[in-house]
Amino acid sequence: MSDKVRDKIASLVTLAKYFAVILGCTPDINHQEQISLVVRFVDISESAQITVKKSFITFLEVEEVVFQ
């Protein structure tokens, strides 16, 4: 089910003229850093309504943190 939802979001983003990828890093309950992956895109429906939508995609585990 989650794959179908993610595929639907990906198809909407593919059709969008404007989109952004948002990454946010935060520790989880076990103090492991994780990145949340979110996309924001402009959705133009057939009724000529323009809306900005934001969809969560997944959490990614951070393997190594390097500060320079």
Side-chain angles (χ1 to χ4, degrees), residues 21-68:
V21 177
I22 304 165
L23 299 172
C25 194
T26 186
D28 64 8
I29 196 166
N30 294 321
H31 305 290
Q32 171 65 43
E33 287 292 317
Q34 62 184 8
I35 296 175
S36 57
L37 175 61
V38 177
V39 291
R40 182 182 289 166
F41 58 96
V42 177
D43 183 26
I44 302 172
S45 65
E46 279 122 36
S47 64
Q49 260 193 323
I50 299 172
T51 56
V52 177
K53 294 187 176 180
K54 185 167 49 170
S55 296
F56 170 80
I57 302 297
T58 190
F59 284 116
L60 303 169
E61 187 175 311
V62 176
E63 298 289 328
E64 181 179 339
V65 178
V66 178
F67 295 102
Q68 293 183 359

